[in-house]
């Protein structure tokens, strides 16, 4: 009886210790306790050091008046009038604009170079190879400084600007062009544009169903142009053309009026696009290589030319391999835009550094920047995951 009890007791202890669910719960509980303890220690240490240094905390400084200029302003910002919160909004919009333009351009360049690497033309394939192997092995910061120097030095001073019809000026300080000032009725054209885009989406869906049912596709391009371009233009004319232009002009030693895009913006976009496209090119090449060559042979057997074989057969199958690593490159491009402060472009990081220097709220400033970059990354990843599911092959 005693031996039997010991045997049951030992068996029970062994089963409890080897139960993967209990061990998983125990390890996760220990990890939570350790992480919570580390966070509590960091918070306590930070509060203690701030109190010892007589530093204040909080986000009330965002409503205070900012006293520093910002060279690139997608929204209204006035020195001595606008708040620090608006200054950070200007920096955030600059980052988003650079990221959006960079993602579009780097996708086009990356796909072009990636396909060129697989070209049967020896010269084109070698040029693409040299581009990829050279650019991706040069640090991005060095490339940004190079492009900033190349774009800025050959340009003349403001008094000797390149003048195009007294409306466009190009000099060392940037690219000046007429700035539109929209009237109140301009909102009607914006509403017409939204309606046109929505109507185009419905029409394209109807045209697809019509093609599947009858085998004949209604005209899509002409209707889309009429809805997206023609409808807003018609509303714009009927509403009295509610827009005036503010032309730039040489006044003293500088150009006044109009809108300006500085050389820092062009250098940043150019550097990010050329650098990131070298990585995307390899992703595209790998994705195309992942498609069985039998698919290409089958398309050619049906009489499809090379262009249609690539566009209609190979690329759609390669997309499911390309999109996941492509998402990482989009995120890298957005995060690498923070190097803009080395060439003086007022992105989120540079504006936030100035705000922190003037308000002495470093922890709050870093928390804001980290939160904004986290949100941008999550939104980008969520959109790409949704797109990946839309283009994924459905097996039956």
């Amino acid at each position: 009886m005693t031996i039997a009890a010991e045997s049951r007791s030992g068996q029970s202890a062994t089963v409890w210790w080897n139960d993967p669910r209990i061990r998983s719960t125990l390890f996760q509980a220990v990890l939570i306790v350790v992480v919570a303890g580390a966070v509590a220690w960091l918070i306590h240490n930070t509060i203690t050091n701030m109190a010892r240094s007589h530093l204040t905390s909080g986000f009330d400084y965002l409503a205070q008046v900012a006293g520093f200029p910002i060279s690139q302003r997608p929204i209204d910002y006035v020195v001595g009038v606008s708040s620090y919160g608006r200054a950070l909004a200007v920096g955030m919009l600059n980052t988003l604009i650079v990221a959006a333009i960079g993602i579009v351009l780097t996708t086009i360049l990356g796909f072009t170079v990636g396909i060129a690497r697989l070209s049967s033309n020896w010269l084109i394939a070698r040029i693409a190879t040299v581009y990829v192997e050279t650019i991706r092995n040069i640090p991005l910061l060095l490339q940004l400084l190079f492009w900033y120097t190349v774009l800025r030095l050959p340009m003349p001073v403001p008094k000797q600007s390149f003048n195009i019809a007294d409306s466009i000026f190009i000099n060392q300080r940037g690219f000046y062009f007429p700035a539109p000032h929209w009237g109140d009725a301009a909102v009607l054209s914006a509403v017409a544009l939204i309606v046109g885009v929505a109507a185009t989406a419905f029409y394209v869906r109807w045209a697809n169903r019509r093609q599947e049912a009858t085998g004949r596709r209604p005209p899509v391009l002409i209707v889309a142009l009429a809805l997206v371009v023609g409808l807003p233009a018609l509303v714009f004319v009927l509403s009295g053309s509610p827009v005036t232009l503010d032309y730039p002009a040489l006044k003293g030693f500088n150009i006044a009026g109009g809108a300006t895009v500085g050389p820092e913006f062009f250098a940043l976009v150019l550097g990010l696009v050329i650098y990131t496209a070298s990585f995307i090119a390899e992703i595209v090449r790998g994705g195309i290589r992942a498609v069985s060559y039998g698919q290409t042979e089958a398309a050619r057997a049906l009489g499809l030319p090379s262009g249609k074989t690539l566009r209609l057969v190979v690329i759609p199958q390669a997309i499911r391999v390309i999109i996941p690593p492509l998402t990482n490159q989009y995120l890298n491009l957005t995060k690498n835009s923070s190097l803009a402060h080395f060439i003086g472009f007022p992105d989120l990081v540079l504006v936030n550094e100035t705000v922190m220097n003037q308000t002495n709220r470093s922890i709050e400033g870093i928390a804001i920047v980290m939160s904004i970059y986290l949100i941008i990354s999550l939104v980008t990843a969520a959109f790409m995951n949704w797109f990946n599911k839309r283009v994924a092959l459905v097996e039956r």
Side-chain angles (χ1 to χ4, degrees):
M1 293 294 293
T2 304
I3 295 175
E6 289 178 352
S7 176
R8 287 196 297 271
S9 176
Q11 184 179 6
S12 176
T14 303
V15 170
W16 172 83
W17 183 251
N18 289 330
D19 190 336
R21 292 175 300 178
I22 296 178
R23 285 193 303 176
S24 174
T25 304
L26 178 63
F27 290 152
Q28 292 185 41
V30 172
L31 180 62
I32 291 174
V33 171
V34 171
V35 172
V39 172
W41 178 81
L42 287 174
I43 294 175
H44 173 73
N45 192 43
T46 302
I47 294 175
T48 303
N49 290 333
M50 291 180 67
R52 186 180 303 164
S53 303
H54 305 290
L55 295 176
T56 57
S57 61
F59 293 92
D60 57 325
Y61 71 98
L62 295 176
Q64 298 176 6
V65 175
F68 63 94
I70 301 178
S71 58
Q72 196 79 43
R73 302 180 296 274
I75 59 175
D76 291 336
Y77 173 83
V78 181
V79 181
V81 177
S82 301
S83 64
Y84 285 116
R86 193 169 187 82
L88 289 174
V90 172
M92 182 186 68
L93 288 176
N94 282 336
T95 296
L96 291 176
I97 291 173
V98 168
I101 296 176
I103 285 174
V104 173
L105 296 180
T106 200
T107 302
I108 297 173
L109 181 60
F111 268 77
T112 304
V113 176
I115 294 172
R117 286 207 67 182
L118 299 174
S119 173
S120 58
N121 187 301
W122 183 88
L123 181 60
I124 294 177
R126 293 303 177 275
I127 291 175
T129 301
V130 170
Y131 165 78
V132 170
E133 297 300 333
T134 303
I135 295 298
R136 70 175 183 172
N137 288 303
I138 299 177
L140 175 58
L141 178 57
L142 188 59
Q143 295 189 39
L144 293 179
L145 295 174
F146 170 78
W147 288 117
Y148 179 64
T149 304
V150 167
L151 291 176
R152 189 171 182 274
L153 284 185
M155 294 293 119
V157 296
K159 292 194 69 173
Q160 300 174 350
S161 302
F162 296 118
N163 186 346
I164 302 176
D166 287 335
S167 299
I168 298 175
F169 297 86
I170 304 174
N171 55 49
Q172 289 183 346
R173 297 180 182 177
F175 174 71
Y176 297 80
F177 55 95
H181 290 282
W182 302 95
D184 295 336
V187 67
L188 298 176
S189 299
V191 173
L193 177 61
I194 296 173
V195 172
V197 172
T200 302
F202 282 110
Y203 179 78
V204 170
R205 184 172 297 180
W206 174 82
N208 291 336
R209 290 200 298 265
R210 182 77 174 176
Q211 183 180 12
E212 293 175 358
T214 65
R216 301 179 61 183
R217 186 171 181 79
V220 173
L221 181 60
I222 297 177
V223 176
L225 289 176
L227 291 173
V228 177
V229 180
L231 181 61
L234 179 63
V235 173
F236 179 78
V237 173
L238 295 178
S239 60
S241 302
V243 61
T244 57
L245 295 178
D246 178 22
Y247 288 90
L250 180 62
K251 293 183 179 179
F253 296 98
N254 201 0
I255 305 294
T260 312
V261 179
E264 299 85 3
F265 173 81
F266 291 110
L268 178 62
V269 172
L270 191 60
L272 288 174
V273 168
I274 292 177
Y275 179 75
T276 310
S278 63
F279 292 90
I280 292 180
E282 286 299 272
I283 294 172
V284 172
R285 186 174 70 92
I288 293 176
R289 288 289 192 194
V291 179
S292 171
Y293 191 68
Q295 298 291 320
T296 302
E297 293 178 329
R300 289 176 178 172
L302 293 174
L304 290 178
S306 299
K308 285 190 175 181
T309 299
L310 184 66
R311 182 167 55 88
L312 301 177
V313 177
V314 178
I315 294 295
Q317 298 183 70
I319 283 292
R320 59 192 174 92
V321 181
I322 292 173
I323 286 181
L326 186 65
T327 305
N328 292 334
Q329 293 305 318
Y330 288 167
L331 299 179
N332 287 337
L333 185 145
T334 304
K335 289 182 286 188
N336 287 337
S337 67
S338 61
L339 294 175
H341 71 283
F342 285 101
I343 58 175
F345 180 74
D347 72 324
L348 176 62
V349 175
L350 179 59
V351 173
N352 185 61
E353 287 178 353
T354 307
V355 172
M356 288 192 300
N357 289 333
Q358 293 191 356
T359 61
N360 214 11
R361 304 288 179 89
S362 301
I363 295 178
E364 292 84 351
I366 293 174
I368 290 174
V369 171
M370 290 175 63
S371 301
I372 292 175
Y373 273 105
L374 177 62
I375 292 173
I376 294 174
S377 298
L378 291 177
V379 171
T380 304
F383 174 78
M384 293 302 292
N385 287 336
W386 169 81
F387 182 67
N388 190 29
K389 291 181 180 177
R390 289 294 302 269
V391 300
L393 294 180
V394 179
E395 297 182 358
R396 296 184 174 88

